[in-house]
Amino acid sequence: MAITLVNPAGLPEIDVYRQVSVASGTQLVFVAGQVAWDADGATIGEGDLAAQVEQCYVNVGTALAAAGATFADVAKLNVHVVDWTPDKMPVLLEGIARASARRGVTPAAPATLLGVAALDVPEHLVEVEATAVVD
């Protein structure tokens, strides 16, 4: 495997991700920010943050697979959430858990969560982008 995830001593352990990823692979995979679209471009879960998070992570998994990668190869995730407030964390985590169950994996790469004013269209509440490394 090209990615080793680490929680170094001296940094807090976060349940949903690791603090550091070490890449030893040779090919970089950059996945564009994925929103809650299905294969036909219809928005899934309008107004439902958990459903949109789930669809975003499923879409990231689909994009990774097209490049010969999986969530185990992800070195970094960026998550952009419209009008983010900390009280939305349980709903965000619910969406990740649902996507993890659907995909049979638990994304644990280092992640950055960013609150944003808006995304591409008003219906989209979240966007997830990934960088992966494969051998």
Side-chain angles (χ1 to χ4, degrees):
M1 201 168 302
I3 299 293
T4 302
L5 300 177
V6 181
N7 271 325
L11 294 177
E13 281 195 32
I14 308 296
D15 291 338
V16 295
Y17 66 87
R18 304 301 173 265
Q19 295 285 1
V20 176
S21 65
V22 179
S24 61
T26 57
Q27 184 177 11
L28 294 175
V29 178
F30 298 95
V31 176
Q34 296 298 303
V35 293
W37 280 329
D38 66 11
D40 297 320
T43 298
I44 301 298
E46 191 167 334
D48 182 342
L49 180 60
Q52 289 202 15
V53 169
E54 177 183 2
Q55 186 65 41
C56 289
Y57 274 82
V58 167
N59 290 349
V60 168
T62 299
L64 289 168
T70 70
F71 273 103
D73 301 307
V74 172
K76 181 73 168 73
L77 290 165
N78 289 319
V79 180
H80 304 82
V81 182
V82 174
D83 297 327
W84 174 257
T85 56
D87 62 306
K88 294 180 181 177
M89 184 62 81
V91 178
L92 180 90
L93 295 176
E94 176 188 338
I96 294 171
R98 288 168 26 184
S100 297
R102 281 178 66 184
R103 283 286 188 182
V105 298
T106 301
T112 298
L113 173 61
L114 300 165
V116 296
L119 292 170
D120 58 330
V121 296
E123 298 83 33
H124 292 155
L125 304 175
V126 63
E127 184 170 331
V128 180
E129 63 180 302
T131 302
V133 180
V134 294
D135 292 320

